Amino acid sequence: MTDLSDLPIRDDLRGRTPYGAPQLDVPVALNTNENPHGPSDRLVKALGEAVMDLAGTLNRYPDRDAVALRDDLAAFLNDDTPGAGLTSRQVWAANGSNEVIQQILQAFGGPGRRALGFEPSYSMHPIITRVTGTEWVDAHRDEDFGLAPERAVAAVREHRPDVVFLTSPNNPTGTALPPAAIEAVLDAAPGMVVVDEAYAEFRRAGTPSALTLLPGRPRLIVTRTMSKAFAMAGTRLGYLAADPAVIDALMLVRLPYHLSSVTQAVARTAVAHGEELLAAVAGLRRERDDLVGWLRGEGFAVADSDANFVLFGRFPDRRRVWEALLSRGVLIREVGPPEWLRVSVGTPGEMAAFREALKESL
Ligand SMILES: *Cc1c(COP(=O)(O)O)cnc(C)c1O
């Protein structure tokens, strides 16, 4: 039997463990922040027709620059954030925002360069950083999971990173950043600043998107995804908005034809049905706020959430609680600071099952 360590693998990959949120077949899956609502019959039909329409041309490569899709996404962002005024030249798409992030690091990171983030945050930021040969610096979030602008700026001044990651709303804590913190980091950062807005559509009223900061700031990149609010995790479509020059940089590192014709057609169909897909977001937000209230009523510590998940604790032995829930058919996520657990917001029925199972598990 050949072992990984027998292979001439890169030294910096030795001893690493792959990304591994457990994928288990359970009745109630509340572990990866998916939208629990599958597409409607109407959308299923439209998706099928879109694939049918292109199936006869699958011998041909797709549009390498995915221009029509980027046009659609620009229009969506302009609706989401009035005044954004984006065109397809300022929007880029790839296979999930993970690939978008990888392309950013390939273009702006790499050997001899450094990326900085504030953990606890999205675990893929340091993973993709290191896989691209970039050094990772964790400058930590504040005790309450927020990020005081003065401290963020001090960390940026100290480490002079080529890429800074700000996640807002943050995963796994749910915390949104005030625009002042993002602006302060942008002013201090010598390199690119990536605001990961995977959960932007779930933010509470009055929390602005970093898209509003784009004009005149060519080192700002705002990333989004269709995996969460858009209920299309299976499609693998992430995107970003930035200055056209940033997109010119990403074109240097992307693989030719990286977005399949099927992906482009399915994503365009989903964006065309965006109103229907996002209609569920209001309900999920309400469900989230109810969940936060219930957990607090039961005496748990709960982080404020602008996302479709909630971080709660504190458990001296969180593994035991996670396992007790799993044994009752409810899968949540063991992630973030050691005494906390994260639960995604599901349907009302799934949340009732979670509440019941949690009470039994304690
Ligand atoms: C889920 C998530 C992503 C998304 O990934 P996709 O590759 O688009 O599915 C990106 N950033 C954060 C913070 C996430 O939680």
Side-chain angles (χ1 to χ4, degrees):
M1 275 280 283
T2 305
D3 191 75
L4 178 56
S5 61
D6 299 327
L7 297 174
I9 189 173
R10 270 163 47 182
D11 288 335
D12 64 330
L13 294 181
R14 283 183 196 280
R16 293 275 175 76
T17 44
Y19 174 84
Q23 277 197 309
L24 304 173
D25 195 10
V26 290
V28 182
L30 301 172
N31 64 326
T32 51
N33 303 340
E34 294 149 326
N35 188 320
H37 303 288
S40 67
D41 291 347
R42 204 168 72 97
L43 178 52
V44 167
K45 195 157 168 289
L47 291 167
E49 280 166 4
V51 175
M52 276 269 262
D53 287 348
L54 69 85
T57 59
L58 280 173
N59 57 315
R60 301 293 177 191
Y61 282 112
D63 173 7
R64 203 168 42 218
D65 298 336
V67 175
L69 171 60
R70 287 161 59 203
D71 262 328
D72 294 352
L73 290 168
F76 167 74
L77 289 176
N78 291 334
D79 280 348
D80 170 273
T81 304
L86 299 167
T87 71
S88 61
R89 279 287 290 132
Q90 292 153 284
V91 173
W92 181 247
N95 295 282
S97 46
N98 284 329
E99 191 183 38
V100 170
I101 292 164
Q102 177 172 278
Q103 292 173 343
I104 292 169
L105 285 160
Q106 286 174 323
F108 298 103
R113 290 187 163 221
R114 179 182 290 162
L116 177 144
F118 301 89
E119 295 182 288
S121 190
Y122 185 43
S123 63
M124 286 308 297
H125 294 156
I127 292 176
I128 303 172
T129 293
R130 291 184 180 124
V131 165
T132 58
T134 315
E135 181 195 346
W136 174 255
V137 176
D138 170 19
H140 310 289
R141 284 198 163 234
D142 302 333
E143 198 67 15
D144 63 356
F145 306 136
L147 188 56
E150 322 77 63
R151 213 178 55 72
V153 164
V156 167
R157 293 226 167 97
E158 180 188 344
H159 298 286
R160 302 203 54 80
D162 300 283
V163 180
V164 177
F165 286 101
L166 296 171
T167 314
S168 181
N170 187 43
N171 176 13
T173 64
T175 328
L177 288 176
I182 297 170
E183 277 186 86
V185 167
L186 266 164
D187 290 343
M192 305 301 294
V193 176
V194 180
V195 182
D196 186 333
E197 291 196 343
Y199 302 95
E201 297 89 345
F202 295 106
R203 65 195 192 272
R204 289 173 290 183
T207 307
S209 163
L211 290 173
T212 56
L213 300 175
L214 276 174
R217 290 192 176 89
R219 290 182 297 101
L220 171 62
I221 301 176
V222 182
T223 65
R224 295 275 186 112
T225 179
M226 295 184 75
S227 298
K228 309 288 164 53
F230 247 102
M232 282 280 140
T235 302
R236 306 306 298 130
L237 200 289
Y239 56 108
L240 63 74
D243 190 274
V246 172
I247 287 145
D248 291 342
L250 301 180
M251 299 258 237
L252 299 175
V253 299
R254 65 91 185 271
L255 294 174
Y257 315 109
H258 67 295
L259 276 180
S260 82
S261 313
V262 175
T263 301
Q264 293 186 39
V266 166
R268 289 195 69 199
T269 307
V271 176
H273 289 73
E275 213 165 307
E276 170 188 328
L277 283 166
L278 294 171
V281 167
L284 290 167
R285 277 214 212 96
R286 270 196 305 278
E287 199 66 51
R288 168 197 65 205
D289 294 338
D290 287 353
L291 175 64
V292 169
W294 181 81
L295 284 166
R296 286 188 176 143
E298 293 291 311
F300 293 100
V302 186
D304 283 332
S305 177
D306 273 278
N308 66 334
F309 53 82
V310 172
L311 191 73
F312 67 106
R314 307 175 63 144
F315 305 103
D317 183 359
R318 73 170 173 185
R319 170 45 69 95
R320 199 196 61 72
V321 179
W322 182 84
E323 281 172 350
L325 285 164
L326 185 57
S327 73
R328 288 166 178 84
V330 179
L331 177 62
I332 66 168
R333 190 80 191 274
E334 211 185 349
V335 68
E339 297 188 331
W340 299 73
L341 290 166
R342 190 192 72 191
V343 58
S344 309
V345 176
T347 61
E350 288 172 327
M351 297 328 288
F354 164 74
R355 289 194 263 260
E356 198 53 44
L358 182 61
K359 280 203 259 186
E360 290 171 13
S361 298
L362 294 169

